[in-house]
Each structure stands twice: as structure tokens, then as C-alpha cells.
Amino acid sequence: MHLTYDVIVVGSGFSAIAVTCNLIEQLPASAKVAVVGDDPGFGRGTAYRTELYLHRLNVPAGRMSLLPHQPDDFVDWPKSHGRRLQAGDFASRSDYGLYVRDTLARLLRKRDGRCRVDFIKAKAAGCVERYSSTLAFHLGNGDEIAGKNVVLCLGVGNASLPVDPDGVPPSLRSRIIENPWRLSWLRRVAPSDAVCILGSGLTMIDQVLALRAHGHSGKIDVLSRRGLAPLGHAWKPPVPLPIDVERLPETISGILKTLRGKSRTVTDWRAVMDGLRPATQALWQRLSNKERARFLRHALPWWNIHRHRVAPDVFDRFEKLVLDGTVRFHAGFLKSLGAEEGRLAASYRVRSTREIAEIRADWLVNCTGMERAGISHSPLLKEMSRFELIVPDPLGLGIQADAASEVIASSRISPARLFAVGALTAGQFWEITAVPDIRVQAKAVVEEIVSRG
């Protein structure tokens, strides 16, 4: 079967749903849209599918509306469920997933005057230029569809274990949790079991709190390269300090020196980070590839813990576990995984030394986060790269795109237009994985599509 659409959206995560909602709002009734993805939890993705109430958004509710031109939409949403939400609250991620689903459903219920939207539950397996004006996709179900405009909304997956667990006997393999978001593993953990978590970012905090909520009371060892953990939002957020990007140096060392100096002029360092927030994309675009690479190599871990903060009550709850010794941090480089005396054994080189240490645990949980957006994790993107329909970002941050999120390619000859939204455009925008950024990008891409007819 072959069908031609005005727009094809490839993906089934938040980026895809944001683009789809904007298409419904902006396209004429005569337009046809296809949304292609094989994730049954369309639009919710990993982040918003969790049901644990302690898994919160790390952005205040007032900045989480799916549609940027309706800023109070998410804050007002709970009213229909008999609940209240303030703009400064950090809502549960489960609630946000339901809100996203409800927003799409509300727009789809408008039968009159809206475009046709076909949701195709299949994986896009290949892409070719066809019919001189479209890009055609071969689907996993055997069908083929073609589009005059295509928006790639492919996210990223969980990062793999940093080492191969060859030394772990089969009897213990089930105690290595490679994807912690499949929360059924928590039911198998005994209250006193020792747990080792690889990675010390936001996912680690989520899993620590999930363990506690499921009755776990044992020790938790956290191993990461630098032993750094995310910081918390302030209970009373400071007024952001305006940052003039044009007056900042163009080197990472110079920028850090300037920002450290500004942080000494305010009562709370968060004022500097929050002032930089609206200008982060512009700052990134001023940097050369050499300076971007230096940032990724040397400054990224410190950026992450200051920039991607957790809700204040969640941070307080986690910090108590650290202060009482329940959660213990280790800074080092994982060398191997094995077994000793019937338990898992993680061998690592202690940071800044040649010393080799070992953590023994009943469970090992991979919380190294999400892999960087790239081509290698997607068969579709690998094929598109082979045909030179897309070009990898030189730093491994997705694919090359211009300031309008249109994909840059050397060999595409048809007038069909190809865009990317979300993590795939990190090379161009850097800050493009959070809802406040993606929703603006999604709206702008749809406006670009509409303006060209």
C-alpha cells in the first residue's frame, strides 16, 4: 500500500506529540498527516510513563505547557480532575504524561476544520527519494508512505553498560538491571539487599527514591566518573541575573571564569544559572567546534549538576539518605564486572589514582543515563546517512541542521523538506531536550512548513 501525505512525523515520543499538536492547530482541513511510531505509549516515552509519585518534573509547572502560546495550559489541566497545581510546583511525571495525552486527544476531538491525522503503528525501516517531490519510507509492516515534508522526532535510548558483563555467571545476570525504567525489577529486591548504581545523574536519584518507596532499607553505592550528583532547586527561587551573551568570552575557560565571578555577586548561584538559561542556545552557537568539544570533555558534568536540578523536596529527601550514609558515592572508572562469593563485584579505578577498588552488591543498576543522540542507535538513520540524506554532527550530537531545524544534507535533490526536532538537533542548539525548548522548536518547525504551503 502506498499513500502520500503533506507531512510525515517519524517518532512516538514527546517531540512527535508536540509537532503533531501544532500541525493539528495550524494546517488546513485539506492537509494529511501521518505519525509513524511503534511505541504503544505514544507521546509519553520513558520519562512520562513512570507511575511513581516521587518521580517529578525538574521544571516548574508554569513552564511546562505543551503549547507555548497557551502558557497556563498545564497549570489549568488538573482543575478538570478536581486538583490544583501552582505555577511553581514540580508536578509528577506521570501526571504530565497524562496531560500530554489529554491535550492530543482534545485536539483530535475537533472534527471540523482540522487536518486528517493517521497514526501508523509501525517502525520506519528505510527512506528513499521518490516521485521527485517526496521522501518515501518503507515501514516494518510492509507498507510504504511518502511525504512532501518530513519531521524526524527520533529520541535517544538508554546508554549501554560501560563494560561487558562477561565475568558474571549466568545465575547472577538477572541481577544486572540494564534498563532501570522497567520498574518490575524493584519487586525482586529484598529490603536488606546491597545495591550498586552506575551513574550519578537524575536517573540515579529516581531509582534511589523508587527503591525506598518499595521498602528497600539496605545500603546503596553509587559509582560514577566524578562522583557528582544533581543539585536541587531552591524552595524560594532567586530572581534570575540577566546575562548578555554577546559580552561573554568565546572560550569555555573564559566563560566559566566570568560566570564564577558573577556567582560571587549574588546570594544564590542559581540566579546566574537561571539568567543564562534563556540565552544558552545563543551562547552555544557562538562557540567554535573546538570550544564545544572542550565543553563536552571538561565542563559537561558540572554543567549538568547545576543546570538540571531536582525539585526541592525531592532533593531534601535524597540528601538525608546521603548524610546518614545510606547512599555512598564513589568516583572512579569502571574496569570490569564479575562475581565474588555469590555477589556481583564491580571493579573500578579510583579517580586521580592508580588504585583499584571493588564494590560488592546484590544488584547492579545501570543509571548512566541516556545515550547521546546519534545515528548508530537507529537503523533508519544509518540508512539515511548511507544515502547522504542526513549528515552526522561532528561531535556526535545528532545530525546537522540549520537554525530553522531543517536537516542539512549534501545529496538530497528532491524538493521534499526534511526537518528534525528534539535531541537530534543538539549539535545546532545544545539545549533541546527539555519541554520548554522542544515545544518552541516544534511550533517554529510547523510554522515553517505552513509558510511554504
Side-chain angles (χ1 to χ4, degrees):
M1 180 175 70
H2 171 80
L3 292 172
T4 299
Y5 291 88
D6 295 286
V7 185
I8 295 176
V9 180
V10 182
S12 51
F14 177 80
S15 297
I17 206 170
V19 170
T20 302
C21 288
N22 277 279
L23 288 169
I24 294 171
E25 285 211 317
Q26 296 188 48
L27 285 180
S30 58
K32 294 186 295 183
V33 174
V35 184
V36 181
D38 63 347
D39 189 337
F42 176 70
R44 299 186 72 179
T46 298
Y48 307 128
R49 201 176 300 160
T50 175
E51 298 296 331
L52 186 62
Y53 72 97
L54 289 171
H55 289 168
R56 307 279 191 80
L57 300 174
N58 62 349
V59 176
R63 294 174 50 212
M64 290 293 288
S65 169
L66 178 59
L67 302 169
H69 55 286
Q70 298 177 19
D72 297 327
D73 195 44
F74 178 48
V75 173
D76 291 340
W77 172 78
K79 293 177 182 177
S80 61
H81 299 267
R83 290 180 284 146
R84 296 185 63 186
L85 184 66
Q86 303 296 325
D89 292 344
F90 293 84
S92 75
R93 296 211 295 271
S94 175
D95 274 354
Y96 190 72
L98 294 175
Y99 157 73
V100 169
R101 182 199 65 184
D102 286 357
T103 302
L104 176 62
R106 170 170 53 83
L107 292 172
L108 289 172
R109 281 196 294 269
K110 295 181 179 180
R111 296 292 182 183
D112 297 330
R114 72 161 176 83
C115 61
R116 167 182 163 183
V117 182
D118 293 341
F119 292 91
I120 303 173
K121 189 177 179 181
K123 186 180 288 291
C127 178
V128 294
E129 293 181 289
R130 287 260 173 96
Y131 316 114
S132 75
S133 64
T134 63
L135 287 174
F137 289 87
H138 306 298
L139 305 184
N141 62 8
D143 290 342
E144 180 180 288
I145 60 174
K148 300 172 185 176
N149 298 276
V150 174
V151 188
L152 297 175
C153 297
L154 300 172
V156 294
N158 292 315
S160 302
L161 283 169
V163 298
D164 199 307
D166 283 342
V168 178
S171 60
L172 290 177
R173 287 290 179 96
S174 65
R175 289 180 170 246
I176 298 177
I177 309 304
E178 297 197 42
N179 182 358
W181 292 109
R182 295 169 183 160
L183 295 179
S184 58
W185 72 273
L186 291 165
R187 294 195 292 268
R188 297 188 284 133
V189 179
S192 61
D193 280 354
V195 177
C196 176
I197 295 179
L198 300 179
S200 59
L202 295 170
T203 304
M204 176 273 298
I205 292 180
D206 284 340
Q207 297 307 315
V208 167
L209 298 182
L211 281 163
R212 286 346 237 188
H214 282 76
H216 180 256
S217 57
K219 298 294 184 183
I220 301 173
D221 288 290
V222 178
L223 173 63
S224 68
R225 292 186 175 185
R226 292 177 175 82
L228 300 172
L231 299 170
H233 285 282
W235 282 97
K236 186 177 181 181
V239 177
L241 180 72
I243 304 291
D244 185 354
V245 168
E246 295 300 321
R247 300 185 65 178
L248 289 176
E250 294 186 5
T251 64
I252 291 301
S253 57
I255 292 169
L256 291 176
K257 182 179 179 180
T258 302
L259 295 179
R260 288 190 186 110
K262 290 182 179 294
S263 69
R264 289 192 286 271
T265 69
V266 294
T267 57
D268 190 330
W269 57 265
R270 296 172 183 83
V272 176
M273 291 301 296
D274 293 346
L276 185 63
R277 174 72 181 90
T280 303
Q281 290 187 359
L283 176 58
W284 176 259
Q285 289 166 354
R286 291 180 73 234
L287 297 177
S288 66
N289 272 351
K290 179 181 177 181
E291 289 302 315
R292 291 178 182 182
R294 290 188 66 202
F295 170 81
L296 295 174
R297 257 193 330 269
H298 302 297
L300 181 57
W302 282 271
W303 168 266
N304 282 339
I305 67 170
H306 289 86
R307 165 70 185 87
H308 300 291
R309 307 191 293 271
V310 296
D313 59 325
V314 171
F315 180 78
D316 288 351
R317 188 186 296 257
F318 176 74
E319 190 176 38
K320 287 178 182 177
L321 297 173
V322 176
L323 294 175
D324 69 15
T326 298
V327 176
R328 301 174 294 194
F329 283 87
H330 308 265
F333 299 83
L334 185 67
K335 304 296 289 184
S336 64
L337 292 175
E340 293 288 344
E341 299 177 352
R343 305 175 84 196
L344 296 166
S347 177
Y348 68 97
R349 178 174 65 79
V350 179
R351 185 172 182 80
S352 302
T353 76
R354 294 184 178 180
E355 176 189 351
I356 301 297
E358 186 178 79
I359 299 172
R360 295 187 184 182
D362 300 296
W363 298 85
L364 186 136
V365 188
N366 178 25
C367 290
T368 52
M370 310 301 283
E371 62 187 359
R372 282 186 188 168
I375 288 174
S376 61
H377 73 284
S378 168
L380 172 64
L381 294 180
K382 285 193 285 188
E383 179 168 303
M384 294 181 74
S385 177
R386 189 165 60 250
F387 287 119
E388 297 183 325
L389 296 169
I390 59 175
V391 178
D393 176 77
L395 296 177
L397 299 175
I399 60 180
Q400 291 187 26
D402 64 18
S405 302
E406 189 161 6
V407 173
I408 298 171
S410 57
S411 73
R412 198 164 67 249
I413 58 175
S414 79
R417 305 187 70 199
L418 179 62
F419 297 86
V421 169
L424 281 178
T425 60
Q428 171 65 242
F429 301 107
W430 177 242
E431 284 280 324
I432 199 62
T433 57
V435 167
D437 302 301
I438 293 174
R439 65 180 184 177
V440 171
Q441 184 188 30
K443 186 173 186 290
V445 165
V446 172
E447 288 172 347
E448 182 70 16
I449 290 172
V450 172
S451 71
R452 298 288 186 94

